[in-house]
């Protein structure tokens, strides 16, 4: 039992260290649209899906090849580009566009409300990035769950649940630190796009997706 707890702890920490930075960035962006509980729920959903897929893989069911898992790297790249474009749009707004913007915002709000009837966009944003960033976790978690008894699997899942809460707490506390909060709020239009895009490229490279695509496109 002790060895199960230790292995679960080491596996989670070693594969999710970078998630603390991502969570910190999300928590610094909380506002009337993205709230703290949206970040927490999105993180839990992402870790939950990764854990379930790993358990299924440990039971001998084939999982998605790494090359295709790497396609999840397109998610943070998209979010990074979107953050940059949105910031540029805000910078380029002028007084003449305000009335039009209000109308567009009303239409946009209607669209968002429809989406929210299924899943909150903020939750989905955190979930998708957590899932994309955790694609390589599956390679660690499958051996972790392989050959384990039902009790060991339940203990491991409980440890993951507790550590996810700890990760959210650490990310939130870091986002509230005066130095971090001051600088990220001031330069988040630079930090967020760069970190998200670099993360996406890293995911594509780690999973061999870029070479896989090049091989099939140019072969």
């Amino acid at each position: 039992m002790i060895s199960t707890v230790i292995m679960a702890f080491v596996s989670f920490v070693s594969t999710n260290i970078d998630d603390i930075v991502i969570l910190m960035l999300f928590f610094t962006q909380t506002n009337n649209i993205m709230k703290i509980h949206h970040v927490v729920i999105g993180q839990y959903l992402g870790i939950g899906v990764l854990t379930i897929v790993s358990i299924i893989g440990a039971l001998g069911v084939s999982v998605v090849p790494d090359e295709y898992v790497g396609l999840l790297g397109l998610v943070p790249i998209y979010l990074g580009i979107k953050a940059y474009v949105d910031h540029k749009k805000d910078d380029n707004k002028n007084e003449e566009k305000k009335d039009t913007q209000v109308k567009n915002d009303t239409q946009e709000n209607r669209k968002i409300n429809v989406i929210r009837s299924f899943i909150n966009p903020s939750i989905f944003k955190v979930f998708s990035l957590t899932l994309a960033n955790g694609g390589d976790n599956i390679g660690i978690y499958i051996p972790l769950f392989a050959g384990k008894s039902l009790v060991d699997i339940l203990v491991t899942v409980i440890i993951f649940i507790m550590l996810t809460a700890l990760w959210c707490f650490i990310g939130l506390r870091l986002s509230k630190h005066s130095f971090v909060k001051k600088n990220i709020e001031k330069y988040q239009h630079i930090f967020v796009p760069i970190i998200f895009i670099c993360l996406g490229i890293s995911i594509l490279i780690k999973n061999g997706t870029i070479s896989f695509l090049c091989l099939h496109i140019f072969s």
Side-chain angles (χ1 to χ4, degrees):
M1 182 66 71
I2 296 179
S3 61
T4 299
V5 172
I6 293 174
M7 287 301 298
F9 179 85
V10 172
S11 297
F12 186 94
V13 172
S14 62
T15 54
N16 292 288
I17 286 292
D18 49 351
D19 267 12
I20 292 180
V21 177
I22 303 301
L23 284 169
M24 180 185 68
L25 286 176
F26 277 131
F27 281 127
T28 58
Q29 298 177 59
T30 53
N31 49 38
N32 291 331
I33 298 176
M34 177 182 283
K35 300 183 182 298
I36 291 176
H37 68 271
H38 292 153
V39 179
V40 175
I41 293 172
Q43 179 72 4
Y44 265 105
L45 286 176
I47 295 296
V49 169
L50 290 171
T51 302
I52 291 172
V53 170
S54 299
I55 293 175
I56 293 174
L59 294 175
V61 180
S62 59
V63 293
V64 180
D66 289 345
E67 293 83 359
Y68 294 101
V69 172
L71 290 174
L72 290 171
L74 296 175
V75 174
I77 291 176
Y78 164 76
L79 292 177
I81 293 174
K82 185 176 184 299
Y84 177 77
V85 171
D86 287 346
H87 174 73
K88 282 298 181 182
K89 285 182 179 179
D90 289 339
D91 280 351
N92 294 330
K93 280 195 306 183
N94 55 51
E95 293 298 326
E96 294 179 359
K97 294 182 179 179
K98 279 190 175 180
D99 292 337
T100 304
Q101 187 66 38
V102 169
K103 294 178 182 178
N104 290 338
D105 285 346
T106 301
Q107 295 174 353
E108 188 68 22
N109 287 336
R110 290 173 183 170
K111 295 177 183 178
I112 291 175
N113 287 333
V114 173
I115 297 174
R116 282 178 177 172
S117 63
F118 297 97
I119 182 172
N120 187 285
S122 297
I123 294 176
F124 182 76
K125 182 178 180 180
V126 179
F127 161 74
S128 60
L129 193 56
T130 301
L131 189 63
N133 191 35
D136 56 334
N137 293 26
I138 296 175
I140 302 296
Y141 294 165
I142 289 180
L144 177 67
F145 288 112
K148 290 287 194 300
S149 66
L150 179 60
V151 173
D152 287 338
I153 291 176
L154 288 175
V155 169
T156 301
V157 170
I158 291 173
I159 296 297
F160 280 11
I161 291 173
M162 295 171 62
L163 288 176
T164 299
L166 177 62
W167 252 229
C168 290
F169 175 76
I170 294 174
L172 180 59
R173 294 296 296 176
L174 286 174
S175 71
K176 299 298 183 183
H177 191 280
S178 57
F179 176 81
V180 173
K181 186 175 182 179
K182 177 182 177 182
N183 286 279
I184 288 187
E185 286 183 349
K186 185 177 181 180
Y187 300 108
Q188 68 175 348
H189 63 284
I190 299 174
F191 289 143
V192 173
I194 290 177
I195 291 176
F196 282 8
I197 291 173
C198 288
L199 175 62
I201 293 174
S202 174
I203 292 170
L204 290 171
I205 293 175
K206 281 193 299 184
N207 290 280
T209 304
I210 293 179
S211 57
F212 174 77
L213 291 175
C214 290
L215 180 65
H216 282 72
I217 291 174
F218 299 108
S219 60

